[in-house]
Amino acid sequence: MSAIAVHELTRTFDDFVAVDSATFDVARGEIFGFLGPNGAGKTTTIRMLCGLLRPTSGHAQVAGFHVARDAAALRARIGYMSQSFSLYPDLTADENIQLFAGLYDVTGARFAQRREWVLGMAGLRGFERHVTGTLPLGFKQRLALGCAVLHEPLILFLDEPTSGVDPVARRGFWDLIHDLAQAGTTVLVSTHYMEEAEYCNRLILMNRGRIIAAGAPQTLRSAMTEAIIEVITDDAPRAVEALTRAGGVIEASMYGRAVHVVVADAGAQAVTMVRETLVAAGRSVESITQVTPSLEHVFVSTVRSEGGAVAG
Amino acid sequence: MLSPRRTLAMARKEWIQLRRDPRSMVLAFGMPVLMLVFFGYAISWDITDIPIAVLDQDRTARSRHLIDAFEASGYFTVVSRPERASDIDDALVHGRVTGALTIPPGFTRDLAAGRPAAIQLLLDGSDANTATVALNYSSAIAAGYSRDVLLQGRSIEAPATAETRVWYNPTLESSNMIVPGLIAVVMSIIAAMLTALTIAREWERGTMEQLAATPVHRLEVVFGKLLPYLGIGMFDVATTVLAGVLIFGVPLRGSILLLAAMTLLFLLGALGLGMAISAVLKSQVLATQVAMVATYLPALLLSGFLFDIASMPAALRAVSYIVPAKYYIAVTRGVFLKGVGIDVLWIQGISMVAFATVGIALATAAFRKRIEA
């Protein structure tokens, strides 16, 4: 049985369709990603799965519980970390742990053991009595994660857990997510950092309330039919200008010093075509190579092929 | 099933937060006694030492005797003795005096001749209450003076006299009436203000979403949040009662236990009401203001604290029946001054139970665990 089974899940706010017929399954112990820009419907979907928001139509089962009907029983078996930092800032780290232990019925020896685990995991030993609001953001986020998994939930929902954190702390946070998954927790995590999606076993791409692609990161990348050619020239803006007008080029954009050119078909022909276009425009080409598409390329390409614009 | 552990976890958290918030601490522990003392001294219907000016144009032993009678009463103090009538106007306009007594020339002559001798008392009617009281006192003083003049030292038996005796507040001290009522008014405000912040704060800070994702039941949240404030409310009533007895010398004649039980019920209702307002509005500023208006005005105006309900128009009288403070004031005045028990206060008892039930029901109904927005 899958940890999460979602079928045609829809949520509307008046005329606005926040989530449109989402259907997907999450296996036990999987790290499952929601990737998409702000406003794609990631948070709304997670809130419905946690029983915080009633679906307009469709249904979802989480850990075997119906999200709309059995919300109360469901909450004891899931952990949730909302988008904004949401522990009590005027309580100390230890008081926050004690509060959530009380709410999740974690008591006695188990409490002592879990408390130690959280303090160690969050790197908060020696800071137990510091008021949470004064801790650095990275520590707060790890403490929030600790409070969300105090009761060792079957399924953990993380809504953009790393937004606003520096890259090093973000990396460390993902190590924690991996450890939890290793221990058997199913993790559903949303992010708008494309590179973070690479850490997921499987993911769905969401845009404007709809799932536009689903699969493992590797599968999504190889399913992309278009190719990306990276060129370095003497004048990137003028190269983009020349390439955009050329036939066979879907899109040309600056990527740092380089220019990324999206072409319909991969192969030597395309590389030749790009080189010739640039030379004809009077540019000198320093290097030209075909690169593996990133998830960002996949995302943009998928949105483009659907004829839509990116929300955000 | 309600879990005591979860309820206590909420209560403990609420208490810690309260302790670390200086604004709430002042509201919880400082305000009640401060308000009691402040209002207790400011509101007084006992009028003494009314400042008056005296223009004695007769200048005889008799006229001086009359002025002495005014001063000896204790209700009037002569603060100025102008020479001309025009000075009186000036003193009244500037508020230096509240009244002006003029004894015209020929006062003694008229008395001696057995003719009616007129004296004039001008009163500043802009404070109608004081003016009315001054009017009554001065009539009484003049009547007593006239009787003395007529009898000229002889004594008579009046054919009929009314033996009046005032029960419960024999000296008619207004503080005896104000302080017990004031405790009810102050607690109405404080209780609703205390809890008005509590749920709105969770929505504003985004902690409500985290709380909602835990297995905590909304009744556990409501009771958990009520507990510390209930404790504070009881403490506040105890200190204000103590202050009433010690500072204002109000007698506490009835059962403290009955007062405590009624207070507990009243606080449950008032705290629940504040929490319901907080849960519906989801904004601390708005909730505080609404809680203030919803409790302060009815408690002050429609509870019988300041104005007699029996003399209100029918519509306001009808509204007063749903003002909880009205019943609680009956309890505090009854227990303080009359020393009555539940055999008299049973209607108030039922009202308190109803108020507590409605308050908690409203808070629970208003509190939603879902994030529907």
Side-chain angles (χ1 to χ4, degrees):
Chain A
M1 197 189 74
S2 41
I4 303 173
V6 179
H7 185 73
E8 301 277 313
L9 198 65
T10 300
R11 173 70 203 206
T12 57
F13 296 102
D14 299 322
D15 288 341
F16 173 68
V17 185
V19 177
D20 189 1
S21 318
T23 300
F24 59 90
D25 274 86
V26 181
R28 283 193 186 184
E30 204 171 15
I31 299 180
F32 193 87
F34 277 17
L35 182 64
N38 294 328
K42 305 185 300 279
T43 297
T44 307
T45 308
I46 290 177
R47 283 177 172 174
M48 283 194 282
L49 295 181
C50 292
L52 294 172
L53 202 60
R54 207 175 272 279
T56 308
S57 67
H59 53 86
Q61 281 205 331
V62 174
F65 293 99
H66 196 286
V67 293
R69 246 195 352 251
D70 313 319
L74 169 70
R75 289 192 192 110
R77 286 158 183 89
I78 59 165
Y80 171 59
M81 194 177 144
S82 70
Q83 201 164 12
S84 55
F85 167 73
S86 53
L87 294 181
Y88 292 92
D90 43 356
L91 261 55
T92 65
D94 217 10
E95 285 162 351
N96 267 303
I97 295 173
Q98 283 167 27
L99 168 66
F100 284 95
L103 296 181
Y104 282 118
D105 257 320
V106 177
T107 54
R110 181 158 172 248
F111 167 69
Q113 180 239 322
R114 292 302 290 164
R115 174 179 172 272
E116 276 307 304
W117 179 83
V118 172
L119 290 174
M121 176 273 281
L124 283 171
R125 285 224 178 77
F127 294 94
E128 295 95 331
R129 307 182 72 167
H130 281 233
V131 172
T132 312
T134 63
L135 294 172
L137 188 60
F139 285 84
K140 284 187 200 170
Q141 241 127 352
R142 284 201 295 265
L143 179 63
L145 177 68
C147 288
V149 297
L150 260 178
H151 57 307
E152 298 171 275
L154 298 172
I155 301 167
L156 175 62
F157 293 91
L158 304 171
D159 193 3
E160 305 211 345
T162 56
S163 60
V165 186
D166 67 84
V168 178
R170 230 154 69 194
R171 188 60 206 251
F173 198 88
W174 274 95
D175 288 341
L176 292 173
I177 295 177
H178 273 281
D179 292 346
L180 287 167
Q182 209 81 62
T185 312
T186 307
V187 183
L188 193 152
V189 54
S190 77
T191 179
H192 62 259
Y193 294 115
M194 301 288 171
E195 74 275 14
E196 283 191 351
E198 302 282 352
Y199 302 130
C200 301
N201 300 122
R202 282 196 309 143
L203 58 115
I204 54 176
L205 302 185
M206 290 190 82
N207 190 43
R208 299 192 152 194
R210 292 180 49 247
I211 297 175
I212 55 175
Q218 187 60 46
T219 321
L220 287 174
R221 278 199 304 269
S222 57
M224 184 169 168
T225 54
E226 298 145 2
I228 314 289
I229 293 165
E230 186 179 274
V231 277
I232 298 176
T233 60
D234 55 343
D235 188 336
R238 289 179 133 174
V240 168
E241 205 176 296
L243 286 163
T244 307
R245 276 182 274 131
V249 172
I250 295 168
E251 190 187 34
S253 55
M254 284 198 278
Y255 200 85
R257 234 193 103 213
V259 174
H260 276 186
V261 192
V262 182
V263 291
D265 299 298
Q269 264 175 302
V271 175
T272 316
M273 182 272 288
V274 168
R275 184 190 296 278
E276 280 169 1
T277 308
L278 288 172
V279 171
R283 299 272 71 76
S284 69
V285 178
E286 286 173 32
S287 81
I288 182 159
T289 42
Q290 187 170 338
V291 295
T292 341
S294 69
L295 279 170
E296 185 168 351
H297 290 125
V298 174
F299 186 85
V300 173
S301 153
T302 316
V303 170
R304 191 193 302 121
S305 71
E306 297 214 336
V310 177
Chain B
M1 264 311 284
L2 292 189
S3 145
R5 178 170 291 120
R6 286 198 293 261
T7 311
L8 286 177
M10 282 302 299
R12 184 166 175 271
K13 172 226 122 190
E14 204 66 26
W15 170 243
I16 295 171
Q17 285 189 302
L18 186 82
R19 228 177 43 203
R20 298 208 176 125
D21 178 21
R23 226 176 17 157
S24 298
M25 286 299 277
V26 169
L27 186 67
F29 293 105
M31 283 302 264
V33 172
L34 203 70
M35 281 171 86
L36 184 82
V37 172
F38 185 72
F39 280 118
Y41 280 118
I43 306 175
S44 172
W45 293 299
D46 300 332
I47 292 163
T48 54
D49 300 321
I50 301 165
I52 55 167
V54 171
L55 177 59
D56 184 1
Q57 295 171 326
D58 195 45
R59 292 177 189 277
T60 59
R62 279 243 166 118
S63 70
R64 279 193 297 277
H65 190 202
L66 177 65
I67 296 165
D68 288 346
F70 268 83
E71 280 210 288
S73 71
Y75 300 121
F76 298 96
T77 305
V78 178
V79 294
S80 83
R81 294 174 186 274
E83 299 293 325
R84 292 183 304 277
S86 58
D87 295 341
I88 288 177
D89 287 356
D90 194 54
L92 276 171
V93 165
H94 287 92
R96 287 196 295 273
V97 296
T98 305
L101 178 70
T102 305
I103 303 173
F107 173 74
T108 308
R109 198 179 55 231
D110 286 346
L111 281 180
R115 283 192 299 268
I119 56 168
Q120 183 199 46
L121 184 69
L122 288 173
L123 287 171
D124 178 357
S126 57
D127 180 353
N129 193 28
T130 306
T132 308
V133 173
L135 193 69
N136 292 337
Y137 288 150
S138 58
S139 302
I141 293 165
Y145 182 80
S146 304
R147 199 182 57 220
D148 289 350
V149 169
L150 285 176
L151 295 176
Q152 290 173 327
R154 285 176 285 132
S155 76
I156 54 151
E157 285 295 319
T161 54
E163 286 277 325
T164 53
R165 200 157 290 157
V166 180
W167 276 11
Y168 312 130
N169 188 6
T171 50
L172 287 173
E173 293 269 349
S174 66
S175 66
N176 280 0
M177 194 175 155
I178 289 169
V179 169
L182 200 54
I183 291 172
V185 173
V186 166
M187 287 321 295
S188 299
I189 303 164
I190 296 289
M193 291 275 285
L194 279 175
T195 41
L197 298 172
T198 161
I199 291 180
R201 184 170 48 209
E202 304 249 7
W203 283 111
E204 282 181 2
R205 288 184 181 170
T207 48
M208 187 53 84
E209 191 170 346
Q210 198 65 50
L211 206 58
T214 73
V216 73
H217 190 275
R218 56 183 179 170
L219 260 179
E220 293 163 352
V221 176
V222 168
F223 278 120
K225 280 176 172 284
L226 274 182
L227 269 177
Y229 295 108
L230 197 59
I232 290 169
M234 292 302 285
F235 174 84
D236 285 345
V237 173
T239 50
T240 45
V241 165
L242 211 63
V245 172
L246 295 182
I247 302 178
F248 294 100
V250 180
L252 179 53
R253 298 198 174 99
S255 149
I256 292 177
L257 210 63
L258 176 67
L259 184 62
M262 294 284 214
T263 301
L264 195 75
L265 290 168
F266 177 73
L267 286 175
L268 276 175
L271 292 168
L273 187 68
M275 203 176 283
I277 291 170
S278 188
V280 168
L281 296 176
K282 298 184 181 179
S283 143
Q284 294 189 76
V285 175
L286 207 58
T288 316
Q289 286 168 354
V290 171
M292 188 82 179
V293 173
T295 54
Y296 185 70
L297 294 179
L300 203 62
L301 305 177
L302 295 177
S303 64
F305 170 60
L306 280 184
F307 307 113
D308 186 23
I309 294 174
S311 52
M312 286 178 190
L316 282 183
R317 247 187 354 249
V319 173
S320 80
Y321 281 102
I322 59 161
V323 175
K326 169 187 151 123
Y327 302 96
Y328 187 55
I329 283 182
V331 171
T332 53
R333 281 187 182 159
V335 172
F336 259 100
L337 303 179
K338 300 187 190 174
V340 291
I342 193 70
D343 50 322
V344 173
L345 293 172
W346 61 273
I347 294 183
Q348 281 75 19
I350 293 171
S351 313
M352 289 297 117
V353 171
F355 181 44
T357 313
V358 168
I360 289 174
L362 277 180
T364 314
F367 180 73
R368 293 259 165 264
K369 273 191 76 183
R370 286 181 191 267
I371 320 280
E372 303 291 346

